[in-house]
Amino acid sequence: MLQMLAVTISVLSLGAHAADAWPTRPIRLVVPFAPGGSTDITARVLAEGLRPMLGQPFVIDNRPGAAGNIATELVSKAAPDGYTFLVSTATLTANVSLYKNLRYDFVRDFAPVSQTFSSSNVVVVSPSVPVNALPEFINYIKNGPGIVNYGSAGHGSSQHLAAALFNHMVGGKMVHVPFKGGAPAATALLAGEIQSIFAPLIEAIPHIRSGAIKALAVCGRKRSPLVPNAPLVSDFVPGYETSSWGGISAPAKTPADIVNKLNVALVKTIALPNVRAHFADADKEPVGNTPAEFARFINVEIERLRMQVKIAGARVD
């Protein structure tokens, strides 16, 4: 009995020592969307801030496709050793309702580290769309002569659900065109291949400022100083509101000491002036909560987005 106790204490001691020593090599941060989009840009800013905090580089690994499911499944099966983490987004909680046969469980297979930010999207259209205000756009997608195609970062992305909910609520005829990330969708909008995106502001703001696309309204609950002339969608569509967020998650069974150590470093990184400036430029509100708080938030988001998916009529065949 004493021998077994001694072995148990020894194993626990080794585990604690490993967590204390972590990290000793580069850490992989898996991004579920293509390079250049909102999720990718923010992940790179955070990775750069985390490097001096923990003494190791964070290597960005973009794994786009299947609305984030490729990356999420990959990380769910990764070794829980503190060297692979997932950039989590609202898309992944929407996928719980959009996909019937996911090969992972977003609650059971992950250990939340921290939510990093919350944000809202902006309705943007190509100059080829003959409207300059949201009421005109509503009339156009209901009664216009042609079909308006809207792009997104994939099924279940914030762009998809924001536009699908809007389309449903106004009785529009828009058609969804999914891409493997926000950047490819923005490229398609600029090329005139699609007519609209309900885009994260960080992806749209350079093109809004250059006049390449038009901003019609903000999807969240408050207006943005970055597009001061854009009203809220809810000013014209009562009850409409969508939001997005980002965070970091680890494979389940990652030692709690490692999760907590990364959480502390992440909260400090979010407080850095250059990171705050990045969030301000992207119209993202910094968060930085505890693993337990992030876990509770994810559970609430799954239910919120379950209802939004149902209302929007969004689905994946």
Side-chain angles (χ1 to χ4, degrees):
M1 184 69 177
L2 288 173
Q3 252 185 334
M4 289 179 64
L5 181 61
V7 169
T8 301
I9 292 171
S10 175
V11 169
L12 291 173
S13 175
L14 285 171
H17 177 72
D20 288 342
W22 177 88
T24 59
R25 55 187 170 89
I27 298 162
R28 180 168 61 154
L29 195 56
V30 180
V31 175
F33 300 110
S38 173
T39 301
D40 175 72
I41 294 168
T42 295
R44 292 176 188 275
V45 171
L46 292 172
E48 187 60 26
L50 285 166
R51 181 185 54 78
M53 295 275 183
L54 292 170
Q56 292 290 340
F58 277 68
V59 179
I60 300 296
D61 182 1
N62 294 93
R63 296 295 182 104
N69 287 325
I70 291 173
T72 309
E73 183 181 352
L74 174 73
V75 178
S76 75
K77 293 175 170 54
D81 56 6
Y83 291 97
T84 301
F85 293 90
L86 176 70
V87 175
S88 304
T89 70
T91 299
L92 307 185
T93 48
N95 286 351
V96 173
S97 299
L98 281 166
Y99 291 84
K100 293 181 179 178
N101 299 306
L102 292 175
R103 291 184 287 189
Y104 62 86
D105 185 305
F106 191 61
V107 174
R108 183 190 64 215
D109 295 337
F110 289 90
V113 178
S114 181
Q115 182 186 355
T116 51
F117 68 87
S118 62
S119 65
S120 64
N121 292 8
V122 61
V123 183
V124 294
V125 297
S126 165
S128 65
V129 180
V131 303
N132 292 300
L134 193 68
E136 295 174 355
F137 185 58
I138 293 171
N139 181 63
Y140 187 75
I141 65 174
K142 292 174 65 175
N143 306 307
I147 297 296
V148 172
N149 295 308
Y150 70 90
S152 80
H155 290 287
S157 63
S158 66
Q159 298 99 312
H160 176 205
L161 290 184
L165 181 62
F166 176 83
N167 198 40
H168 172 82
M169 291 181 73
V170 303
K173 299 182 294 186
M174 292 195 299
V175 175
H176 180 213
V177 181
F179 293 85
K180 289 187 176 181
T187 299
L189 180 66
L190 293 169
E193 296 169 8
I194 56 175
Q195 288 72 51
S196 179
I197 305 176
F198 285 50
L201 198 50
I202 190 174
E203 295 173 7
I205 195 66
H207 310 302
I208 294 169
R209 288 172 175 165
S210 72
I213 57 178
K214 296 180 283 189
L216 301 183
V218 175
C219 299
R221 66 181 59 155
K222 61 181 181 180
R223 296 175 68 156
S224 169
L226 299 182
V227 281
N229 295 324
L232 297 178
V233 173
S234 59
D235 291 343
F236 305 97
V237 186
Y240 178 93
E241 181 189 325
T242 62
S243 60
S244 187
W245 54 267
I248 304 293
S249 299
K253 299 183 181 179
T254 299
D257 286 350
I258 289 177
V259 170
N260 290 331
K261 192 171 181 180
L262 179 57
N263 174 269
V264 170
L266 196 53
V267 171
K268 289 180 179 177
T269 298
I270 291 169
L272 293 172
N274 68 303
V275 177
R276 291 276 175 162
H278 162 75
F279 282 149
D281 289 343
D283 202 36
K284 294 180 175 180
E285 185 174 343
V287 180
N289 52 11
T290 68
E293 288 169 339
F294 189 28
R296 289 193 292 272
F297 173 81
I298 285 171
N299 285 323
V300 170
E301 278 293 283
I302 287 173
E303 293 309 311
R304 180 183 74 84
L305 289 168
R306 193 189 309 279
M307 293 303 298
Q308 192 171 109
V309 166
K310 183 178 180 180
I311 293 169
R315 72 178 192 272
V316 178
D317 295 327

